[in-house]
Protein backbone atom coordinates (compact mmCIF):
# COMPACT_ATOMS: atom_id res chain seq x y z
CA UNK A 1 0.00 0.00 0.00
CA UNK A 2 3.05 2.29 -0.17
CA UNK A 3 2.48 2.82 -3.91
CA UNK A 4 -0.64 3.40 -5.98
CA UNK A 5 -1.33 3.45 -9.70
CA UNK A 6 -3.31 6.51 -10.68
CA UNK A 7 -4.62 8.22 -13.83
CA UNK A 8 -3.58 11.79 -14.62
CA UNK A 9 -4.36 14.22 -17.42
CA UNK A 10 -2.07 16.78 -19.06
CA UNK A 11 -2.65 19.20 -21.93
CA UNK A 12 0.52 20.88 -23.12
CA UNK A 13 0.81 24.42 -24.43
CA UNK A 14 1.94 22.79 -27.68
CA UNK A 15 -1.49 21.24 -28.11
CA UNK A 16 -1.17 17.62 -27.00
CA UNK A 17 -3.36 15.71 -24.57
CA UNK A 18 -1.79 12.95 -22.48
CA UNK A 19 -3.92 10.83 -20.15
CA UNK A 20 -1.40 8.63 -18.39
CA UNK A 21 -1.06 5.94 -15.75
CA UNK A 22 1.54 6.79 -13.12
CA UNK A 23 2.77 5.25 -9.89
CA UNK A 24 2.53 7.56 -6.88
CA UNK A 25 3.24 7.35 -3.16
CA UNK A 26 0.35 6.71 -0.78
CA UNK A 27 0.64 9.24 2.07
CA UNK A 28 0.14 8.55 5.73
CA UNK A 29 -3.35 9.74 6.68
CA UNK A 30 -3.60 12.82 8.87
CA UNK A 31 -5.87 12.59 11.93
CA UNK A 32 -8.97 13.57 9.93
CA UNK A 33 -8.14 11.43 6.86
CA UNK A 34 -8.60 7.84 5.70
CA UNK A 35 -7.02 5.66 3.02
CA UNK A 36 -9.60 4.02 0.74
CA UNK A 37 -8.76 1.00 -1.39
CA UNK A 38 -10.69 1.99 -4.50
CA UNK A 39 -12.75 -0.78 -6.03
CA UNK A 40 -15.21 0.99 -8.36
CA UNK A 41 -15.24 4.45 -9.98
CA UNK A 42 -17.85 5.43 -12.58
CA UNK A 43 -17.05 7.41 -15.71
CA UNK A 44 -19.65 10.18 -15.65
CA UNK A 45 -20.30 12.74 -18.41
CA UNK A 46 -18.94 15.34 -15.98
CA UNK A 47 -15.59 13.48 -16.01
CA UNK A 48 -15.11 13.94 -19.76
CA UNK A 49 -14.04 17.58 -19.83
CA UNK A 50 -11.47 17.26 -17.03
CA UNK A 51 -10.09 14.12 -18.66
CA UNK A 52 -9.93 15.19 -22.28
CA UNK A 53 -10.74 18.90 -22.60
CA UNK A 54 -11.26 19.86 -26.26
CA UNK A 55 -8.90 17.17 -27.61
CA UNK A 56 -9.67 15.48 -30.94
CA UNK A 57 -10.34 12.00 -29.59
CA UNK A 58 -11.06 10.61 -33.05
CA UNK A 59 -7.30 10.95 -33.58
CA UNK A 60 -6.31 9.42 -30.23
CA UNK A 61 -3.64 6.74 -30.00
CA UNK A 62 -2.09 4.78 -27.15
CA UNK A 63 1.62 5.32 -26.52
CA UNK A 64 2.93 2.19 -24.72
CA UNK A 65 6.20 3.87 -23.74
CA UNK A 66 4.43 6.71 -21.94
CA UNK A 67 1.56 4.44 -20.81
CA UNK A 68 -0.67 7.22 -22.07
CA UNK A 69 -3.54 8.02 -24.36
CA UNK A 70 -2.30 10.76 -26.67
CA UNK A 71 -4.47 13.06 -28.80
CA UNK A 72 -4.04 16.43 -30.51
CA UNK A 73 -5.75 19.62 -29.33
CA UNK A 74 -6.57 22.22 -31.95
CA UNK A 75 -4.36 25.19 -30.97
CA UNK A 76 -7.04 27.90 -31.25
CA UNK A 77 -8.93 26.04 -28.49
CA UNK A 78 -6.06 26.22 -25.99
CA UNK A 79 -7.10 29.69 -24.80
CA UNK A 80 -10.29 28.12 -23.39
CA UNK A 81 -8.25 25.97 -21.01
CA UNK A 82 -5.21 28.14 -20.30
CA UNK A 83 -5.59 27.66 -16.53
CA UNK A 84 -4.71 23.97 -16.83
CA UNK A 85 -2.03 24.01 -19.53
CA UNK A 86 1.22 22.13 -18.79
CA UNK A 87 -0.11 20.80 -15.48
CA UNK A 88 -0.42 17.11 -14.64
CA UNK A 89 -3.76 16.78 -12.85
CA UNK A 90 -5.62 13.89 -11.20
CA UNK A 91 -9.04 12.83 -12.52
CA UNK A 92 -12.15 10.94 -11.43
CA UNK A 93 -14.96 12.73 -9.60
CA UNK A 94 -16.22 9.88 -7.45
CA UNK A 95 -15.90 6.22 -6.55
CA UNK A 96 -16.17 3.71 -3.74
CA UNK A 97 -14.03 1.26 -1.85
CA UNK A 98 -12.97 0.01 1.58
CA UNK A 99 -11.25 2.07 4.26
CA UNK A 100 -7.98 0.24 4.96
CA UNK A 101 -6.21 2.85 7.08
CA UNK A 102 -7.43 5.73 9.21
CA UNK A 103 -6.09 8.76 11.02
CA UNK A 104 -6.20 9.12 14.79
CA UNK A 105 -9.45 11.10 15.09
CA UNK A 106 -12.55 9.22 16.33
CA UNK A 107 -14.38 10.15 13.10
CA UNK A 108 -11.66 8.57 10.97
CA UNK A 109 -11.30 5.49 13.16
CA UNK A 110 -15.07 4.90 12.98
CA UNK A 111 -14.73 4.34 9.22
CA UNK A 112 -12.11 1.57 9.42
CA UNK A 113 -13.19 -1.42 7.35
CA UNK A 114 -16.29 0.37 6.07
CA UNK A 115 -17.45 0.63 2.47
CA UNK A 116 -17.50 4.33 1.64
CA UNK A 117 -18.16 6.45 -1.40
CA UNK A 118 -15.86 9.41 -1.91
CA UNK A 119 -16.12 12.66 -3.83
CA UNK A 120 -12.58 13.68 -4.52
CA UNK A 121 -11.72 14.64 -8.10
CA UNK A 122 -8.94 12.03 -7.96
CA UNK A 123 -10.89 8.77 -7.82
CA UNK A 124 -9.20 6.95 -10.71
CA UNK A 125 -6.59 5.41 -8.46
CA UNK A 126 -5.88 2.23 -6.53
CA UNK A 127 -5.69 4.04 -3.17
CA UNK A 128 -7.14 7.42 -2.26
CA UNK A 129 -6.34 9.55 0.78
CA UNK A 130 -9.34 11.73 1.60
CA UNK A 131 -10.76 13.66 4.57
CA UNK A 132 -13.62 12.00 6.41
CA UNK A 133 -15.91 14.82 5.23
CA UNK A 134 -15.51 13.51 1.66
CA UNK A 135 -16.80 10.06 2.66
CA UNK A 136 -20.34 8.72 2.49
CA UNK A 137 -20.49 5.54 4.64
CA UNK A 138 -22.69 2.69 3.43
CA UNK A 139 -24.48 -0.19 5.05
CA UNK A 140 -22.46 -3.37 5.58
CA UNK A 141 -24.50 -5.16 2.91
CA UNK A 142 -23.65 -2.60 0.20
CA UNK A 143 -20.80 -3.47 -2.18
CA UNK A 144 -18.36 -0.89 -3.58
CA UNK A 145 -19.82 -1.50 -7.06
CA UNK A 146 -23.28 -0.64 -5.76
CA UNK A 147 -21.91 2.40 -3.91
CA UNK A 148 -19.74 3.70 -6.77
CA UNK A 149 -22.23 6.27 -8.10
CA UNK A 150 -23.40 7.80 -4.83
CA UNK A 151 -22.62 11.46 -5.36
CA UNK A 152 -22.86 12.96 -8.85
CA UNK A 153 -26.17 11.53 -10.06
CA UNK A 154 -28.07 10.89 -6.79
CA UNK A 155 -27.23 14.22 -5.17
CA UNK A 156 -27.83 16.13 -8.41
CA UNK A 157 -31.30 14.58 -8.70
CA UNK A 158 -32.05 15.35 -5.05
CA UNK A 159 -30.61 18.83 -5.51
CA UNK A 160 -32.97 19.59 -8.38
CA UNK A 161 -35.99 18.92 -6.18
CA UNK A 162 -34.43 20.86 -3.30
CA UNK A 163 -33.80 23.81 -5.64
CA UNK A 164 -37.40 23.70 -6.83
CA UNK A 165 -38.68 24.03 -3.28
CA UNK A 166 -36.11 26.61 -2.19
CA UNK A 167 -36.98 28.88 -5.12
CA UNK A 168 -40.76 28.54 -4.83
CA UNK A 169 -41.53 26.47 -7.94
CA UNK A 170 -43.98 23.57 -7.90
CA UNK A 171 -43.02 21.38 -10.87
CA UNK A 172 -39.98 20.56 -13.02
CA UNK A 173 -38.91 20.11 -16.63
CA UNK A 174 -35.87 17.93 -17.31
CA UNK A 175 -34.06 17.30 -20.61
CA UNK A 176 -32.02 14.25 -21.65
CA UNK A 177 -34.34 12.69 -19.13
CA UNK A 178 -33.78 8.98 -19.81
CA UNK A 179 -30.25 9.14 -18.42
CA UNK A 180 -29.26 7.35 -15.25
CA UNK A 181 -29.72 10.65 -13.41
CA UNK A 182 -33.06 11.26 -15.12
CA UNK A 183 -34.37 7.90 -14.00
CA UNK A 184 -33.38 8.70 -10.41
CA UNK A 185 -35.14 12.05 -10.65
CA UNK A 186 -38.33 10.33 -11.80
CA UNK A 187 -38.26 7.96 -8.86
CA UNK A 188 -37.78 10.86 -6.42
CA UNK A 189 -40.59 12.88 -7.98
CA UNK A 190 -42.97 9.92 -7.98
CA UNK A 191 -42.17 9.25 -4.33
CA UNK A 192 -42.61 12.88 -3.30
CA UNK A 193 -45.60 13.76 -5.50
CA UNK A 194 -43.69 16.27 -7.65
CA UNK A 195 -44.91 16.69 -11.23
CA UNK A 196 -42.12 16.23 -13.75
CA UNK A 197 -42.04 16.88 -17.49
CA UNK A 198 -39.43 14.61 -19.12
CA UNK A 199 -37.95 15.49 -22.51
CA UNK A 200 -36.13 12.79 -24.50
CA UNK A 201 -35.23 12.39 -28.17
CA UNK A 202 -36.37 8.89 -29.17
CA UNK A 203 -39.21 6.43 -28.67
CA UNK A 204 -36.77 4.01 -27.07
CA UNK A 205 -36.08 6.57 -24.37
CA UNK A 206 -39.81 7.23 -23.94
CA UNK A 207 -40.25 3.51 -23.30
CA UNK A 208 -37.41 3.46 -20.74
CA UNK A 209 -39.08 6.15 -18.63
CA UNK A 210 -42.60 4.83 -19.07
CA UNK A 211 -41.27 1.48 -17.86
CA UNK A 212 -40.32 2.98 -14.48
CA UNK A 213 -43.64 4.79 -14.08
CA UNK A 214 -42.88 8.25 -15.49
CA UNK A 215 -46.12 10.12 -16.15
CA UNK A 216 -45.16 12.78 -18.71
CA UNK A 217 -42.54 11.92 -21.33
CA UNK A 218 -42.14 14.01 -24.48
CA UNK A 219 -40.17 13.03 -27.57
CA UNK A 220 -38.43 16.10 -28.96
CA UNK A 221 -38.19 14.44 -32.39
CA UNK A 222 -42.01 14.33 -32.65
CA UNK A 223 -43.57 16.73 -35.17
CA UNK A 224 -46.04 17.79 -32.45
CA UNK A 225 -43.36 18.33 -29.82
CA UNK A 226 -43.91 22.05 -29.19
CA UNK A 227 -47.67 21.64 -28.83
CA UNK A 228 -47.12 18.71 -26.47
CA UNK A 229 -44.55 20.71 -24.50
CA UNK A 230 -47.05 23.53 -24.03
CA UNK A 231 -49.74 21.13 -22.82
CA UNK A 232 -47.36 19.47 -20.38
CA UNK A 233 -46.11 22.75 -18.93
CA UNK A 234 -49.61 24.18 -18.75
CA UNK A 235 -51.01 21.12 -16.97
CA UNK A 236 -48.20 20.96 -14.40
CA UNK A 237 -47.51 24.66 -13.90
CA UNK A 238 -43.78 24.01 -14.28
CA UNK A 239 -41.69 27.20 -14.18
CA UNK A 240 -38.30 25.55 -13.52
CA UNK A 241 -36.23 23.44 -15.90
CA UNK A 242 -32.89 21.66 -15.71
CA UNK A 243 -31.17 21.23 -19.06
CA UNK A 244 -28.36 18.76 -19.68
CA UNK A 245 -27.94 19.61 -23.36
CA UNK A 246 -26.90 23.26 -23.46
CA UNK A 247 -26.76 23.92 -27.21
CA UNK A 248 -29.54 24.62 -29.67
CA UNK A 249 -33.02 26.06 -29.16
CA UNK A 250 -34.53 23.69 -26.58
CA UNK A 251 -33.98 26.05 -23.63
CA UNK A 252 -35.67 28.82 -25.60
CA UNK A 253 -38.59 26.53 -26.50
CA UNK A 254 -39.09 25.63 -22.83
CA UNK A 255 -39.14 29.29 -21.76
CA UNK A 256 -41.51 30.16 -24.61
CA UNK A 257 -44.01 27.51 -23.57
CA UNK A 258 -43.74 28.54 -19.92
CA UNK A 259 -44.60 32.09 -21.00
CA UNK A 260 -47.45 30.93 -23.23
CA UNK A 261 -48.96 29.08 -20.29
CA UNK A 262 -48.42 31.97 -17.86
CA UNK A 263 -49.96 34.53 -20.22
CA UNK A 264 -52.87 32.49 -21.58
CA UNK A 265 -55.46 34.45 -19.60
CA UNK A 266 -53.89 37.89 -20.03
CA UNK A 267 -56.13 40.75 -21.19
CA UNK A 268 -55.14 44.15 -22.58
CA UNK A 269 -51.49 45.14 -22.81
CA UNK A 270 -49.10 42.36 -21.83
CA UNK A 271 -45.90 44.20 -22.71
CA UNK A 272 -43.62 42.42 -20.26
CA UNK A 273 -45.22 38.99 -20.16
CA UNK A 274 -46.30 36.92 -17.17
CA UNK A 275 -45.02 37.94 -13.75
CA UNK A 276 -44.07 34.43 -12.56
CA UNK A 277 -40.35 33.79 -12.85
CA UNK A 278 -39.36 31.27 -15.50
CA UNK A 279 -36.00 29.70 -14.69
CA UNK A 280 -33.80 27.33 -16.66
CA UNK A 281 -30.58 25.94 -15.23
CA UNK A 282 -28.06 24.47 -17.68
CA UNK A 283 -26.13 21.80 -15.81
CA UNK A 284 -24.63 19.78 -18.66
CA UNK A 285 -23.09 20.16 -22.10
CA UNK A 286 -24.14 17.28 -24.34
CA UNK A 287 -24.31 19.81 -27.20
CA UNK A 288 -21.43 22.29 -27.31
CA UNK A 289 -23.05 24.45 -30.00
CA UNK A 290 -24.33 27.92 -28.99
CA UNK A 291 -27.42 28.21 -26.81
CA UNK A 292 -29.91 30.04 -29.05
CA UNK A 293 -32.48 32.29 -27.37
CA UNK A 294 -35.48 33.48 -29.37
CA UNK A 295 -36.78 36.17 -27.01
CA UNK A 296 -40.50 35.37 -26.87
CA UNK A 297 -41.06 34.99 -23.14
CA UNK A 298 -41.53 38.43 -21.62
CA UNK A 299 -39.09 39.89 -19.15
CA UNK A 300 -39.44 37.69 -16.07
CA UNK A 301 -37.06 34.86 -16.83
CA UNK A 302 -33.57 33.73 -16.04
CA UNK A 303 -30.99 31.30 -17.38
CA UNK A 304 -28.01 30.19 -15.32
CA UNK A 305 -25.58 27.42 -14.63
CA UNK A 306 -26.08 24.87 -11.85
CA UNK A 307 -23.27 22.94 -10.17
CA UNK A 308 -23.76 20.30 -7.51
CA UNK A 309 -20.95 21.32 -5.18
CA UNK A 310 -21.95 24.99 -5.19
CA UNK A 311 -25.53 23.98 -4.49
CA UNK A 312 -24.52 21.75 -1.58
CA UNK A 313 -22.51 24.67 -0.21
CA UNK A 314 -25.78 26.59 0.23
CA UNK A 315 -27.23 23.92 2.53
CA UNK A 316 -26.55 23.54 6.23
CA UNK A 317 -24.58 20.49 7.36
CA UNK A 318 -27.65 18.83 8.85
CA UNK A 319 -29.51 18.88 5.52
CA UNK A 320 -26.48 17.62 3.62
CA UNK A 321 -26.23 14.75 6.12
CA UNK A 322 -29.90 13.93 5.57
CA UNK A 323 -29.38 13.76 1.81
CA UNK A 324 -26.30 11.54 2.26
CA UNK A 325 -28.28 9.20 4.50
CA UNK A 326 -31.11 8.95 1.97
CA UNK A 327 -28.63 8.00 -0.76
CA UNK A 328 -27.03 5.31 1.44
CA UNK A 329 -30.42 3.84 2.43
CA UNK A 330 -31.71 3.76 -1.16
CA UNK A 331 -28.56 3.01 -3.13
CA UNK A 332 -30.03 -0.25 -4.46
CA UNK A 333 -33.49 1.14 -5.24
CA UNK A 334 -34.02 4.82 -6.03
CA UNK A 335 -30.34 5.43 -6.72
CA UNK A 336 -29.32 2.11 -8.26
CA UNK A 337 -26.88 2.24 -11.18
CA UNK A 338 -25.98 -0.42 -13.72
CA UNK A 339 -22.88 -0.55 -15.90
CA UNK A 340 -22.27 -1.67 -19.45
CA UNK A 341 -18.64 -2.61 -18.96
CA UNK A 342 -15.94 -2.72 -16.30
CA UNK A 343 -12.51 -1.38 -17.20
CA UNK A 344 -9.14 -1.52 -15.47
CA UNK A 345 -7.09 1.67 -15.22
CA UNK A 346 -5.05 0.48 -18.20
CA UNK A 347 -8.14 -0.42 -20.26
CA UNK A 348 -9.64 3.03 -19.65
CA UNK A 349 -6.77 4.46 -21.74
CA UNK A 350 -7.36 2.35 -24.83
CA UNK A 351 -8.78 4.42 -27.73
CA UNK A 352 -11.47 1.85 -28.53
CA UNK A 353 -12.80 2.05 -24.97
CA UNK A 354 -12.54 5.84 -24.87
CA UNK A 355 -14.68 5.99 -28.01
CA UNK A 356 -17.35 3.95 -26.23
CA UNK A 357 -17.62 5.85 -22.96
CA UNK A 358 -17.05 9.29 -24.48
CA UNK A 359 -20.12 8.77 -26.70
CA UNK A 360 -22.27 9.35 -23.56
CA UNK A 361 -25.15 7.27 -24.90
CA UNK A 362 -28.29 6.95 -22.81
CA UNK A 363 -28.43 3.60 -21.05
CA UNK A 364 -24.68 2.99 -21.17
CA UNK A 365 -22.34 3.66 -18.28
CA UNK A 366 -18.79 2.49 -17.70
CA UNK A 367 -17.03 1.59 -14.47
CA UNK A 368 -13.32 1.77 -13.73
CA UNK A 369 -12.24 -1.04 -11.39
CA UNK A 370 -8.78 0.15 -10.23
CA UNK A 371 -7.78 -3.19 -8.67
CA UNK A 372 -9.33 -5.32 -11.43
CA UNK A 373 -7.74 -8.74 -11.57
CA UNK A 374 -6.26 -8.60 -8.05
Amino acid sequence: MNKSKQLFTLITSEGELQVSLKEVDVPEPKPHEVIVRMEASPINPSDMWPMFGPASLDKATFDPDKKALVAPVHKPLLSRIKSRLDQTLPIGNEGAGTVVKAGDSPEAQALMGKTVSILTGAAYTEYACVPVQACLPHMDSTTPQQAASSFVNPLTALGMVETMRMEGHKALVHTAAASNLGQMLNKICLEQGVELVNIVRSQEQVDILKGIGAKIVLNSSSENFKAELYQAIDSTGATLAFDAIGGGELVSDILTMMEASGSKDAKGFNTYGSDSNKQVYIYGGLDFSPTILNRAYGMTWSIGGWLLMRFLGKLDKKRVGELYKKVAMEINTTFASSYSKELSLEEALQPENVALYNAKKTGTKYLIVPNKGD
Side-chain angles (χ1 to χ4, degrees):
M1 197 174 64
N2 294 327
K3 297 287 185 179
S4 175
K5 292 180 181 178
Q6 185 171 352
L7 291 183
F8 292 88
T9 182
L10 163 70
I11 295 179
T12 71
S13 53
E14 296 302 310
E16 183 180 77
L17 165 75
Q18 297 177 19
V19 184
S20 57
L21 183 62
K22 298 181 181 295
E23 190 170 77
V24 297
D25 294 326
V26 179
E28 280 294 309
K30 296 175 183 176
H32 65 289
E33 293 178 334
V34 295
I35 303 295
V36 182
R37 183 181 188 271
M38 299 300 294
E39 296 170 65
S41 298
I43 304 175
N44 293 307
S46 57
D47 288 303
M48 297 298 99
W49 186 255
M51 287 177 76
F52 305 125
S56 300
L57 294 178
D58 57 332
K59 299 176 183 176
T61 59
F62 181 75
D63 186 327
D65 294 328
K66 295 180 179 178
K67 291 187 179 179
L69 176 89
V70 178
V73 181
H74 190 43
K75 286 197 174 183
L77 297 177
L78 293 175
S79 61
R80 296 175 59 186
I81 54 168
K82 62 181 181 180
S83 63
R84 65 169 289 180
L85 292 179
D86 299 317
Q87 298 176 68
T88 300
L89 303 169
I91 44 178
N93 283 326
E94 66 176 329
T98 305
V99 175
V100 294
K101 198 169 187 179
D104 294 335
S105 71
E107 294 82 4
Q109 285 294 314
L111 294 177
M112 268 300 297
K114 297 282 189 182
T115 295
V116 298
S117 301
I118 64 170
L119 186 65
T120 171
Y124 297 160
T125 183
E126 291 178 316
Y127 293 93
C129 181
V130 295
V132 294
Q133 294 88 345
C135 297
L136 192 163
H138 285 271
M139 295 182 293
D140 292 343
S141 59
T142 300
T143 68
Q145 285 74 15
Q146 292 166 336
S149 295
S150 292
F151 284 99
V152 175
N153 286 345
L155 290 174
T156 296
L158 288 168
M160 289 174 176
V161 178
E162 290 280 310
T163 299
M164 179 198 74
R165 294 198 172 104
M166 290 166 62
E167 297 185 359
H169 303 276
K170 67 176 186 178
L172 292 168
V173 179
H174 186 220
T175 71
S179 64
N180 185 256
L181 186 157
Q183 293 179 49
M184 293 178 186
L185 181 60
N186 270 276
K187 293 173 185 177
I188 294 166
C189 289
L190 288 168
E191 173 199 344
Q192 299 185 16
V194 175
E195 292 201 89
L196 175 64
V197 178
N198 297 278
I199 299 175
V200 297
R201 60 183 179 181
S202 71
Q203 185 58 45
E204 178 187 5
Q205 293 168 350
V206 172
D207 295 341
I208 289 172
L209 290 180
K210 288 290 188 179
I212 63 170
K215 294 179 179 178
I216 304 174
V217 189
L218 308 181
N219 186 346
S220 62
S221 63
S222 165
E223 61 182 21
N224 299 317
F225 169 65
K226 289 186 180 181
E228 293 167 352
L229 178 59
Y230 169 79
Q231 291 295 333
I233 287 174
D234 190 55
S235 66
T236 61
T239 50
L240 174 64
F242 286 89
D243 175 53
I245 298 170
E249 299 185 17
L250 185 54
V251 164
S252 192
D253 290 342
I254 292 169
L255 288 169
T256 299
M257 296 311 161
M258 287 178 176
E259 174 59 31
S261 174
S263 293
K264 67 179 180 180
D265 297 322
K267 291 180 171 52
F269 291 116
N270 189 31
T271 306
Y272 302 115
S274 62
D275 59 4
S276 60
N277 186 47
K278 300 164 286 292
Q279 173 74 52
V280 178
Y281 287 115
I282 297 174
Y283 76 97
L286 297 177
D287 181 349
F288 284 110
S289 68
T291 304
I292 300 171
L293 302 179
N294 302 308
R295 297 273 300 279
Y297 24 84
M299 294 300 291
T300 311
W301 57 275
S302 184
I303 296 173
W306 193 94
L307 285 172
L308 174 60
M309 294 310 297
R310 291 179 186 172
F311 167 74
L312 290 176
K314 298 176 182 178
L315 303 181
D316 60 44
K317 291 182 179 180
K318 180 182 177 184
R319 186 56 183 152
V320 173
E322 290 169 349
L323 296 180
Y324 278 20
K325 185 175 180 180
K326 182 175 178 64
V327 172
M329 294 297 292
E330 300 178 27
I331 196 64
N332 292 315
T333 53
T334 306
F335 304 111
S337 294
S338 59
Y339 303 95
S340 305
K341 190 174 182 180
E342 293 185 357
L343 304 169
S344 67
L345 291 168
E346 292 87 349
E347 290 168 340
L349 297 178
Q350 300 306 314
E352 61 271 22
N353 289 324
V354 172
L356 291 174
Y357 62 73
N358 189 56
K360 300 186 284 285
K361 292 183 178 178
T362 298
T364 61
K365 193 169 184 180
Y366 294 80
L367 189 71
I368 291 179
V369 181
N371 292 281
K372 186 179 179 183
D374 286 7

